[in-house]
Amino acid sequence: MITLYDYELSGNCYKVRLFLSILELEFDIEPVEFYPAREHKTDEFLRINPLGQLPALRDDEVTLRDAQAILVYLARKYDKSGHWYPANNAELMGEIQMWLSFADGLTGSISAARLHDLFFFEFDAAACRRRAHELLRVMDEHLWLQEQRGYGYLCAAIRPTIADLACFPYIALSDEGGVSLEDYPAVRRWTDRIKRVPGFTVMSGVFPAGPSLDQQSLASALAR
């Protein structure tokens, strides 16, 4: 049985819960209170992850830390479709790895601003928000170009990959860090597409997809 050491309000924990849901895997949750109890720094948890960070995952004899590493592990072990982490496509693998690293930048910017606002961490929130907007501009331009090429996701694939799941949570939670997505329409369209992936699940602050454009047009016609 898979056990996820989890904090409900963590975006990095959420991306693992989300992928487990998409893969339709059964798992147990072991809650670890990040705030205010800081249980991730206790001796008990440090025996699971010496870095004192969430999430961590245990699968039989395997124990892993780092959300991106856990996504890779789950994809390679449990994804029968092979499209979430296609190990036989070197170019696509390189793209995925690039965006997994990009996700760490989102953790250091949007997530840090969110930790400042919600949990009173002593970060330079203004600097975090400036960096967040730099990253969002890069991502929005990339996603717009992807749309022109006929792709709806971060990588040159017709389906989402773990790169999308790695980047999604803190972008979806950006308002909680004082970072607006108003100026990033391609990013907003991308978040809507992720919310429509079968198996998508929500967390506090992340909401289901709204009506599709076709549904909106139909509702408008019926209201006339």
Side-chain angles (χ1 to χ4, degrees):
M1 173 63 73
I2 296 171
T3 299
L4 175 64
Y5 295 87
D6 176 73
Y7 180 59
E8 167 65 24
L9 298 180
S10 163
N12 278 327
C13 291
Y14 167 57
K15 67 182 69 171
V16 177
R17 294 198 307 271
L18 175 57
F19 196 31
L20 288 165
S21 175
I22 289 169
L23 294 176
E24 299 182 323
L25 294 174
E26 294 185 2
F27 63 101
D28 288 333
I29 285 181
E30 186 70 34
V32 180
E33 190 173 303
F34 175 84
Y35 180 85
R38 294 177 60 83
E39 290 180 348
H40 59 301
K41 299 299 184 182
T42 61
D43 290 341
E44 180 180 2
F45 184 74
L46 291 174
R47 286 192 287 271
I48 298 163
N49 181 359
L51 297 181
Q53 297 171 345
L54 291 166
L57 180 137
R58 180 173 288 163
D59 185 13
D60 293 329
E61 300 302 316
V62 175
T63 301
L64 292 172
R65 61 176 182 261
D66 182 80
Q68 274 65 270
I70 293 170
L71 293 180
V72 169
Y73 170 80
L74 292 173
R76 292 295 292 134
K77 184 168 182 179
Y78 293 109
D79 172 31
K80 294 181 175 60
S81 73
H83 74 251
W84 288 100
Y85 192 68
N88 61 343
N89 186 328
E91 183 177 346
L92 194 51
M93 287 276 288
E95 283 190 74
I96 291 171
Q97 190 57 54
M98 179 176 69
W99 288 104
L100 293 182
S101 298
F102 188 91
D104 287 333
L106 297 173
T107 300
S109 55
I110 296 177
S111 174
R114 180 173 175 263
L115 287 172
H116 173 274
D117 288 4
L118 295 187
F119 303 117
F120 314 109
F121 277 58
E122 294 183 2
F123 293 128
D124 183 339
C128 292
R129 293 182 186 113
R130 283 195 300 272
R131 180 57 178 159
H133 284 293
E134 291 172 359
L135 296 175
L136 286 167
R137 281 192 290 272
V138 169
M139 191 173 184
D140 193 71
E141 181 178 341
H142 172 77
L143 285 167
W144 184 85
L145 289 171
Q146 287 289 86
E147 290 173 343
Q148 310 317 300
R149 297 166 180 153
Y151 299 119
Y153 302 99
L154 288 172
C155 299
I158 61 173
R159 298 183 180 91
T161 68
I162 61 170
D164 298 282
L165 301 187
C167 292
F168 173 79
Y170 285 120
I171 290 177
L173 293 165
S174 61
D175 281 350
E176 293 186 353
V179 178
S180 172
L181 299 181
E182 182 177 359
D183 294 332
Y184 310 107
V187 170
R188 297 199 308 273
R189 292 192 295 271
W190 167 80
T191 61
D192 186 73
R193 287 191 286 272
I194 300 301
K195 291 178 178 183
R196 298 181 191 279
V197 171
F200 180 83
T201 187
V202 300
M203 68 166 281
S204 177
V206 177
F207 306 100
S212 67
L213 292 177
D214 289 342
Q215 291 171 322
Q216 291 177 31
S217 298
L218 176 60
S220 177
L222 292 173
R224 291 194 187 107

